[in-house]
Amino acid sequence: MAGKVQGQNGVSAEAPIPLLTPYTLAKFQLSHRVVLAPLTRQRSWNNVPQPHAILYYSQRTTKGGLLIAEGTGVSDTAQGYPQTPGIWTKEQVEAWKPIVDAVHAKGGIFFCQIWHVGRVSNTGFQPNGQAPISCTDRPLTPQTRSNGIDVAQFSTPRRLTTEEIPQVVNDFRLAARNAIEAGFDGVEIDGAHGYLLDQFMKDQVNDRTDKYGGSLENRCRFPLEVVEAIVDEIGADKVGIRLSPFANYSEAGDSNPEALGLYMVESLNKYRLVYCHMVEPRMKTVGEKYESPHSLLPMRKAFRGTFIVAGGYDREDGNNAVAENRADLVAYGRVFLANPDLPKRFALNAPLNEYNKETFYTPDPNVGYTDYPFLEDTE
């Protein structure tokens, strides 16, 4: 499909495949549509990003490529996994700067995913051993992690009071400001995969009776307050959001996911976010594809901005999504983790490295992290 390869990006000089066509993302000129999805890697000692992340992210950077950093905690109550980075302290902000600089040095565009895990945590990750916070006080059953090996254990959460919620909104606002101070081009609010914002949105978790529970509008109130606070703080042209209305990660399902997804994208339109990043309905649980009768197309049509899709995509699938206008950009996770030069491999239709699940979360600063070979190393 692709002709001669031009330059290090692997952008073809003649008839590029749809994934490798340029795209204007607000003020950013993307040279292709292959996005690095946010991937938890658990190599940030004491929640501080480490120098080995400089190589990891720069390996996956192309000129005009969009990268979304791993989930980054907004506060000391936001953590639920070992050695995940944060962005609530000065030390963390300073530690991110050389990582961001390395991506920018290669011409990449870098967004920081800011998250709060909510009840997907236990007292061991919380300040002073306190209970994790959530919209509910119903606990989670133990969950197998996406490497298929680790089993996460959870503590009974504490239900946030109505009066406490503005403080959590403020934590997100400050994290967004810190991300811009660290040099990121923008932030992606994590409203997906069973974490705190998703817990509020989903009716199978949210059992509140105040203004943050009950109706669809009430359940979406807190996530939209977070969006508004961040847009006011750093500007809509630097704010994206990730949503997974159809997913059931961490027992966060909804009885009417299509209505939830549509309500959210229609509500987001008034804030003019730079993008909406949605997870395919086929990715209902961690790392497994299912046949699904549902589609993201209604949300795609309703959202008046850049639409990014993720969830089980390969080269052909991604090309079709762009060619058929079902998405503007396609985010790749595990396959990008294992193929740091993924856009080039897609251009050449080259074979891909297999990912190794066993090293997704091992705390090694090289193995399973920066040691996946480039195409020229395998020839």
Side-chain angles (χ1 to χ4, degrees):
M1 284 180 78
K4 298 188 293 287
V5 171
Q6 168 183 298
Q8 64 181 16
N9 284 353
V11 177
S12 146
E14 53 190 70
I17 60 173
L19 280 171
L20 297 181
T21 53
Y23 181 78
T24 301
L25 177 69
K27 61 186 178 186
F28 308 108
Q29 295 300 318
L30 304 187
S31 62
H32 60 81
R33 299 167 186 246
V34 179
V35 178
L36 175 67
L39 294 164
T40 295
R41 303 312 316 272
Q42 294 185 199
R43 288 161 168 91
S44 299
W45 321 145
N46 300 314
N47 308 127
V48 178
Q50 296 298 303
H52 45 250
I54 296 171
L55 179 59
Y56 171 75
Y57 283 108
S58 85
Q59 283 180 333
R60 287 156 184 78
T61 303
T62 48
K63 188 176 189 326
L66 174 62
L67 293 80
I68 306 168
E70 62 208 273
T72 300
V74 300
S75 69
D76 61 357
T77 66
Q79 310 302 115
Y81 303 98
Q83 318 297 357
T84 50
I87 198 155
W88 71 88
T89 71
K90 182 75 175 163
E91 182 187 11
Q92 291 163 337
V93 171
E94 292 302 315
W96 273 115
K97 286 180 179 178
I99 304 166
V100 177
D101 288 347
V103 170
H104 286 158
K106 290 181 72 174
I109 293 99
F110 204 9
F111 273 55
C112 181
Q113 193 197 60
I114 53 176
W115 73 339
H116 193 302
V117 301
R119 69 173 183 167
V120 187
S121 186
N122 63 51
T123 55
F125 294 113
Q126 296 298 315
N128 308 313
Q130 66 191 41
I133 58 172
S134 182
C135 61
T136 183
D137 54 12
R138 289 181 297 167
L140 266 176
T141 56
Q143 307 278 313
T144 302
R145 301 281 314 278
S146 59
N147 60 2
I149 302 163
D150 301 347
V151 176
Q153 303 285 339
F154 308 105
S155 304
T156 300
R158 181 178 69 79
R159 186 194 305 270
L160 284 164
T161 67
T162 309
E163 296 70 33
E164 287 176 303
I165 290 174
Q167 179 55 53
V168 184
V169 172
N170 196 52
D171 289 339
F172 273 90
R173 181 185 67 81
L174 292 173
R177 185 168 78 188
N178 287 345
I180 300 306
E181 187 189 333
F184 282 102
D185 297 296
V187 300
E188 175 177 286
I189 301 163
D190 190 358
H193 288 158
Y195 298 120
L196 184 62
L197 272 63
D198 202 30
Q199 289 159 33
F200 271 82
M201 284 184 266
K202 299 286 181 68
D203 63 9
Q204 289 178 20
V205 184
N206 188 332
D207 56 358
R208 302 178 72 89
T209 55
D210 64 359
K211 66 179 183 177
Y212 293 102
S215 68
L216 180 57
E217 293 78 6
N218 280 0
R219 285 182 279 118
C220 294
R221 186 187 305 275
F222 166 58
L224 291 170
E225 286 177 352
V226 168
V227 169
E228 185 166 329
I230 292 176
V231 166
D232 287 348
E233 183 66 36
I234 66 171
D237 61 336
K238 301 182 193 72
V239 184
I241 191 167
R242 194 178 213 204
L243 299 170
S244 59
F246 295 96
N248 191 24
Y249 283 45
S250 299
E251 298 169 11
D254 195 81
S255 62
N256 192 342
E258 187 158 300
L260 171 60
L262 276 171
Y263 177 79
M264 278 300 290
V265 296
E266 287 164 357
S267 301
L268 291 168
N269 280 333
K270 71 177 180 188
Y271 298 106
R272 306 179 69 130
L273 298 193
V274 68
Y275 70 73
C276 179
H277 180 183
M278 273 211 176
V279 179
E280 285 287 349
R282 63 189 175 198
M283 305 304 288
K284 193 164 185 174
T285 58
V286 178
E288 290 185 63
K289 269 197 210 182
Y290 292 82
E291 286 295 316
S292 174
H294 298 289
S295 165
L296 294 181
L297 208 51
M299 291 75 163
R300 158 62 163 170
K301 289 177 175 172
F303 185 66
R304 295 198 296 269
T306 294
F307 199 74
I308 308 177
V309 293
Y313 277 90
D314 58 17
R315 180 180 184 270
E316 182 184 9
D317 227 6
N319 277 326
N320 290 342
V322 173
E324 295 164 12
N325 201 29
R326 288 183 282 115
D328 300 304
L329 308 172
V330 182
Y332 290 86
R334 299 159 177 225
V335 68
F336 214 149
L337 177 160
N339 295 273
D341 51 357
L342 188 64
K344 180 178 180 179
R345 289 178 189 254
F346 279 174
L348 299 171
N349 202 11
L352 301 179
N353 300 323
E354 295 286 323
Y355 55 77
N356 179 3
K357 285 184 177 183
E358 292 181 10
T359 56
F360 281 177
Y361 307 126
T362 49
D364 193 295
N366 175 41
V367 176
Y369 192 57
T370 55
D371 65 344
Y372 282 102
F374 287 75
L375 203 50
E376 54 266 30
D377 301 333
T378 60
E379 290 171 350

